[in-house]
Amino acid sequence: MTRPNPTIALYPGSFDPITRGHEDIVRRGLRVADRIIVAVAHTSTQSKRGLFSVDERVELISEVFDDEDRIEAMGFRGLLVDFAAAQGAHLVLRGLRAVSDFEYELQMAQMNQELNADIETLFLVPEVSNSFISSSLVREVAALGGDVSSFVSPSVLERLLAKLDG
Ligand code: ADP
């Protein structure tokens, strides 16, 4: 396989909203990639139950990484491997928090391998203190009035509280 230069990695997910756990994975990803595209998936199921729209999620990610021009946020539709190829990305980053993530992640990585053998999935592990954070728990705890300020960046917190208020 010929190596593209620079190395572009895609970090796909729902990011509803982006958390400190996601940020941890992106920062680690910068150790192996020159550029990272944080890619927010448009899917019919996610758009139905999402708190933020895909455009809002992309905006939040861009704000969080405002200081880092190697990171960019985009929405995408369709197959992940097709979007990765269109962006010139040969690496897909995924985070592993616990054994519970593993089965689904392995299956998806192997399916993507079948779909496009040029794209490698790379699993990264967050710091222990970030490993229990999930977007769904953040949404749930915030909706019940719990303090989520240590799980998301200040700009996300502000938008989250405003969204839940309105
Ligand atoms: P999905 O709905 O596809 O799981 P998410 O936005 O929840 O999308 O997550 C995107 C990726 O980030 C997944 O690989 C997920 O395992 C990983 N991830 C989510 N939260 C964390 C976290 N706290 N630490 C490490 N990885 C995480």
Side-chain angles (χ1 to χ4, degrees), residues 24-160:
D24 185 326
I25 297 300
V26 173
R27 306 254 180 228
R28 282 168 203 281
L30 282 178
R31 293 176 172 172
V32 293
D34 301 305
R35 255 185 73 206
I36 296 178
I37 301 169
V38 183
V40 182
H42 274 274
T43 71
S44 48
T45 46
Q46 272 158 6
S47 61
K48 257 186 236 155
R49 43 157 215 243
L51 178 63
F52 291 98
S53 70
V54 169
D55 286 347
E56 287 173 324
R57 296 178 213 176
V58 167
E59 219 173 279
L60 284 174
I61 297 164
S62 304
E63 275 173 36
V64 166
F65 296 114
D66 195 29
D67 61 334
E68 181 50 85
D69 59 10
R70 291 174 295 172
I71 301 165
E72 158 177 28
M74 296 171 87
F76 78 99
R77 289 176 198 278
L79 278 180
L80 166 66
V81 288
D82 291 346
F83 184 66
Q87 296 301 319
H90 290 249
L91 275 183
V92 168
L93 305 180
R94 295 289 287 177
L96 282 182
R97 285 165 286 196
V99 177
S100 50
D101 279 339
F102 182 73
E103 203 170 323
Y104 170 69
E105 291 292 341
L106 178 69
Q107 212 178 6
M108 197 164 57
Q110 288 173 330
M111 174 57 85
N112 285 336
Q113 218 172 59
E114 284 298 312
L115 294 170
N116 186 333
D118 281 340
I119 294 174
E120 287 298 336
T121 302
L122 194 66
F123 294 107
L124 296 166
V125 174
E127 174 181 304
V128 172
S129 60
N130 286 328
S131 64
F132 64 91
I133 306 172
S134 70
S135 299
S136 56
L137 262 183
V138 164
R139 293 195 304 270
E140 221 171 292
V141 170
L144 295 171
D147 178 10
V148 294
S149 58
S150 51
F151 312 140
V152 294
S153 74
S155 56
V156 174
L157 182 68
E158 196 181 308
R159 295 279 290 277
L160 186 58

